[in-house]
Amino acid sequence: MLRAGLRAAAASMGLVLFAVGCSGAGDGGGDVRIRVDKVVALADEPVRIEITGLDAGQEVVVTSQAADNEGTSWSGRAAFTADESGAVDLTRARPRSGTYGKADGMGLFWSMNSKKAPADEAWFYAKWPESQPAHDVHLAVEVDGKQVASERLTRTWMGEGVTHRTLTAARDGGVGTLYVPGPEAPRRPPVLSFGGSEGGPGDKHAAALLASRGHPVLALCYFGCPERPKNLERIEVEYFAAAARLLHRESGAGAQRPSVIGYSRGSEAAQLLAHHHPDLVQDVVLYAPSRDTNPGLPDPKVPAWTKGGKPTELKPIPLDRVRGTVLAIGGGMDGLWPAEGWTVGIGKQRGASGQQHRALVYPGAGHGVGTYPYVAAGLRGKHGLTGQAMDMGGTRAADAAARADSWPQVLSLLQD
């Protein structure tokens, strides 16, 4: 309540609120403090962190710590030298050493490492937003091995007033979770979201973040969950069309057509939906996309997608019937497939009214190029469906930079 009251008071006065952490005396007798512009913020929002009260040239270590959905501890670390005013602004200061290497105000967040796995093989997963709407990140400052200041930041997944409802095939005709913005949120277009060949419930955290900004969002499961096929095989394009209609109805009278977000293999479904049902879809966002349809998984002899009961044969998938904009986002070092070329090819196409589609290519990024930023993500692992080892390519730093750059552009497109 205290933090919420301070935030509301600051907003009403038009001031920037700086949270001051616990402090201790530095060598010069001053108080070392952690100043943060937002102690409570959506998990995809950057915060500005500054350490003050140090001596000029003093060496200091700043750490971050958080717990994931299993209670595993994650931590980041960066060593700095204070400037002539006795301060360290993490937005501008380059670490002398640590878990990230370049000046980055959010480096302590995305570079966290797990105690259970190597950095390149671990992903930070918070609990589902409906069960835990926020998680905490603890910051600390150490001088000569002694902690002299600390602060707790709250990273919110599901904003105030956002509600959710589980959808079932038997009752609703589709499987997933529907996130509905609060009554005070701005009214923005709905979004249909689904993931890739990992299957399951989709990106619930991204869905909750979008709902926190006013978008009704359906995180759709199309395989790998109850009431849906076990494998990525013979998935009907009609299923996605039915989900788009459901979302449009649930969004209320006057709602715009849903936009669609598809990741990896889900990018194929998003393009097929927009091609076959342009009347149902506005804009399309494709992460680490394919330009073509691909075979089913784990059996490549079985089609992944069907239309009218027949396997889709569109290779490549045309996008000239799309009424909105297609934004393709790919990494130049994607280790799973040639996403860079496919991304560029998608961006060169035009839609139904002659509008130019768009492409964002991040040369050093891999298959983990999206979605929301500022959360630690790995590069290698084992595919949940096939059991095969995966090297997603790129680097953690490049993936983090790609997400930080592309996510605001996605938000801008979706809310236009």
Side-chain angles (χ1 to χ4, degrees), residues 390-403:
M390 296 189 307
D391 185 343
M392 300 175 69
T395 66
R396 294 180 83 201
D399 284 354
R403 290 190 288 268

Side-chain angles (χ1 to χ4, degrees), residues 2 176 180 310 339 367:
L2 176 59
V180 179
K310 298 180 180 180
H367 205 71

Side-chain angles (χ1 to χ4, degrees), residues 198-238:
E198 74 281 357
D203 195 342
K204 287 188 171 187
H205 293 98
L209 289 168
L210 290 170
S212 300
R213 291 181 166 84
H215 299 276
V217 184
L218 171 52
L220 183 70
C221 175
Y222 58 97
F223 81 97
C225 53
E227 302 182 283
R228 291 300 301 163
K230 178 182 177 180
N231 299 323
L232 177 50
E233 297 173 353
R234 297 187 176 93
I235 309 299
E236 314 91 335
V237 173
E238 291 86 351

